[in-house]
Each structure stands twice: as structure tokens, then as C-alpha cells.
Amino acid sequence: MPRANCRFDYGVAQSLELPDAAFDVVTCTFGMHHIPEADRGRALAERSRVLRPGGRGLLADMAPGACTDS
């Protein structure tokens, strides 16, 4: 039986203990707003660092308080 070609890791986004250019895809779903605003740039830099050239990054989040009723 074939094995899945994926891996899920858990870590601190702004300080990943992973090698450079190690992944084809990196995702962050509904987590960026939990990272302190001052650390978000570092988290995005780490995402770019671990992506291989030509890799894909997915970032999906919400902006609490950004929508208002009129």
C-alpha cells in the first residue's frame, strides 16, 4: 500500500526548528491572529525560509473586528 507523501508538524511559527527549503507546501490556517503583531513578520519570514524555491504557501486567517454592521 502506498504511503502518504505529507507530514504535519507543530511548532512556533516565528522560530521553526526545520531546515531551509525543506517543504513543497506550508500552511497556516486561522492562526496568524494569535501571533503577537510584532512577531508576525518573523513568522512569515520563517514560512518563506522553509519553503523550497517554487513552493507554495497558504495563509488563511480572519481579522477580528474588521467587519462592522452598517
Side-chain angles (χ1 to χ4, degrees):
M1 175 175 267
R3 292 179 37 201
N5 186 18
C6 67
R7 174 175 136 187
F8 296 93
D9 282 325
Y10 178 84
V12 177
Q14 57 270 36
S15 181
L16 298 173
E17 296 182 13
L18 300 165
D20 294 352
F23 296 93
D24 296 321
V25 178
V26 176
T27 65
C28 177
T29 53
F30 301 105
M32 187 62 77
H33 67 275
H34 292 288
I35 298 171
E37 194 168 338
D39 295 331
R40 291 178 189 163
R42 182 67 188 147
L44 292 172
E46 282 289 278
R47 179 187 77 165
S48 296
R49 181 185 65 77
V50 301
L51 268 174
R52 69 165 174 78
R56 296 189 182 252
L58 168 71
L59 174 63
D61 209 77
M62 59 183 177
C67 298
T68 59
D69 288 335
S70 298

